[in-house]
C-alpha cells in the first residue's frame, strides 16, 4: 500500500499551529485570571477545536486498517504512555491528603465536592496511570500478533473510566460558562481523550484487530486537543501559579496522552500489514 506518512506530517504541523494559536490567544486576547475573552468573538474560538474533534474522521478511511508499525513494538508510543502514566499516578497520589481529610471530616465537604468524589480523584488516575505504565512497557517489548499476549479487560476499563470521570466532572461540577474558555475547552479535550482511550486499549487487548481507521481519527483528535489545547493551557496556567499539584499533574498526563495519539496516528498513516 502507498505510504501515507505525509498525512502524519500534516497532523504534526497542525498540532504545533493550533498550540501556538491557543497560546497567543491566552497571552494576547484573553484575561489570564478569569479566562474570559477580551477581544474577538468567543464562538469563533470554539470552531477550530470542534473541527479538530470531528474532522479527522473524514480522511481516516485512507489510513492503514492494520498498521504494520503497531504489530510488534512501538517504542515512541511506549515512552509517551509511560510518561503519561507517571503523571497521572502523581496526580492521584497528590490527592491522598484530601481523601484522608474527607474520611476524617466528611462534614467539611460540600455537596459540590462530596467525599466519594475525592476518592475517585485519587483512585481513578492511579489505576489509569498504572495501566499506561504497564502497557507502555509492553509497547517496548511487543504487543502484537507475533506475541499473542492478551491483556485484562477489567484493568483496561480504568483508562476510559478515568477520562469519562474527567469529562463528567468538567462538564457538570466545574462552574463553567462557554464564555470562560479554559473551563469549557477542557471538556473537549477530555472527550477527545475518552474517544482515543477506547480505541487504544483495543491495540493491546485484541492484537491485529483492524482498527487503524478509528485509531487514526481518535489519535489525531487526542493529539490536537489533549496536547495542542490541554498541555498548552496547563503550562500557561502553571506559569501563572494557578494550578494545584493534582491539577498540574493531571493536565500534563492528559497532554502526554495526546502524544500517544500522535504516534498512533503516525503509524496508521504508514504501511498496511499484508
Amino acid at each position: 500500500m502507498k505510504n501515507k506518512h505525509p498525512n502524519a506530517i500534516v497532523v504534526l504541523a497542525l498540532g504545533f499551529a493550533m498550540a501556538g494559536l491557543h497560546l497567543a490567544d491566552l497571552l494576547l486576547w484573553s484575561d489570564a485570571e478569569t479566562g474570559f475573552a477580551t477581544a474577538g468573538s468567543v464562538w469563533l474560538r470554539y470552531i477550530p477545536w470542534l473541527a479538530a474533534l470531528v474532522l479527522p474522521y473524514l480522511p481516516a478511511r485512507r489510513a492503514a486498517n492494520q498498521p504494520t508499525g503497531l504489530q510488534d513494538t512501538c517504542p515512541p508510543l511506549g515512552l509517551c504512555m509511560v510518561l503519561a502514566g507517571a503523571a497521572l499516578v502523581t496526580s492521584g497520589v497528590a490527592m491522598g491528603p484530601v481523601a484522608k481529610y474527607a474520611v476524617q471530616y466528611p462534614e467539611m465537604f460540600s455537596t459540590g465536592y462530596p467525599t466519594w468524589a475525592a476518592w475517585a480523584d485519587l483512585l481513578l488516575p492511579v489505576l489509569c496511570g498504572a495501566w499506561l505504565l504497564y502497557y507502555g512497557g509492553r509497547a517496548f517489548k511487543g504487543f502484537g500478533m507475533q506475541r499473542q499476549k492478551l491483556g485484562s479487560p477489567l484493568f483496561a476499563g480504568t483508562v476510559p473510566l478515568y477520562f469519562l470521570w474527567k469529562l463528567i466532572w468538567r462538564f457538570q461540577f466545574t462552574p463553567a460558562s462557554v464564555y470562560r474558555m479554559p473551563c469549557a475547552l477542557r471538556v473537549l479535550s477530555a472527550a477527545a481523550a475518552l474517544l482515543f482511550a477506547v480505541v487504544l486499549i483495543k491495540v493491546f487487548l485484541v492484537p491485529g484487530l483492524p482498527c487503524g481507521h478509528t485509531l487514526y481519527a481518535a489519535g489525531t483528535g487526542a493529539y490536537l486537543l489533549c496536547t495542542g489545547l490541554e498541555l498548552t493551557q496547563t503550562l500557561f496556567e502553571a506559569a501563572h501559579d494557578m494550578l494545584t499539584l493534582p491539577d498540574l499533574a493531571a493536565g500534563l498526563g492528559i497532554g502526554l496522552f495526546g502524544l500517544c495519539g500522535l504516534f498512533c496516528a503516525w503509524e496508521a498513516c504508514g504501511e498496511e500489514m499484508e
Side-chain angles (χ1 to χ4, degrees):
M1 177 172 286
K2 182 179 178 182
N3 191 298
K4 294 185 174 63
H5 272 80
N7 288 343
I9 294 174
V10 171
V11 172
L12 177 64
L14 186 60
F16 277 105
M18 295 186 72
L21 182 62
H22 186 53
L23 181 59
D25 188 19
L26 292 171
L27 290 171
L28 303 175
W29 307 305
S30 301
D31 183 80
E33 296 297 328
T34 64
F36 287 97
T38 57
S41 170
V42 172
W43 297 105
L44 289 178
R45 290 167 162 84
Y46 287 97
I47 293 177
W49 301 112
L50 287 170
L53 185 65
V54 176
L55 292 184
Y57 287 87
L58 296 179
R61 64 185 184 277
R62 298 180 56 198
N65 204 24
Q66 291 181 292
T68 302
L70 295 176
Q71 297 307 312
D72 190 20
T73 61
C74 187
L77 173 60
L79 177 61
C80 289
M81 290 178 66
V82 168
L83 293 175
L88 292 181
V89 169
T90 301
S91 172
V93 172
M95 285 296 298
V98 178
K100 182 180 179 180
Y101 188 83
V103 172
Q104 294 176 340
Y105 308 101
E107 67 279 0
M108 300 298 294
F109 282 72
S110 66
T111 56
Y113 190 67
T115 303
W116 62 265
W119 280 100
D121 281 335
L122 186 156
L123 295 175
L124 288 179
V126 168
L127 294 173
C128 176
W131 188 93
L132 290 171
L133 285 169
Y134 177 70
Y135 283 89
R138 287 272 295 269
F140 281 99
K141 297 177 181 178
F143 51 82
M145 290 293 291
Q146 290 85 342
R147 300 178 185 263
Q148 291 293 324
K149 292 182 178 179
L150 302 182
S152 168
L154 183 61
F155 187 21
T158 60
V159 182
L161 185 61
Y162 167 70
F163 292 115
L164 177 62
W165 167 249
K166 296 299 291 185
L167 175 62
I168 294 173
W169 180 259
R170 291 176 176 184
F171 185 79
Q172 184 173 355
F173 294 105
T174 302
S177 164
V178 292
Y179 293 98
R180 191 179 182 188
M181 294 180 300
C183 295
L185 286 175
R186 277 198 165 107
V187 173
L188 296 179
S189 63
L194 174 61
L195 292 173
F196 175 57
V198 172
V199 185
L200 179 64
I201 61 178
K202 295 179 181 179
V203 176
F204 292 91
L205 268 60
V206 190
L209 184 71
C211 59
H213 298 335
T214 52
L215 188 65
Y216 169 83
T220 299
Y223 164 61
L224 295 177
L225 284 156
C226 296
T227 304
L229 170 63
E230 179 95 18
L231 185 60
T232 301
Q233 199 157 277
T234 297
L235 295 176
F236 173 82
E237 293 178 354
H240 288 76
D241 198 23
M242 299 168 63
L243 297 175
T244 62
L245 178 57
D247 290 334
L248 173 59
L252 292 176
I254 295 175
L256 291 167
F257 188 67
L259 288 180
C260 298
L262 171 65
F263 288 112
C264 285
W266 185 280
E267 295 298 344
C269 289
E271 297 180 356
E272 180 93 43
M273 185 181 69
E274 297 181 359

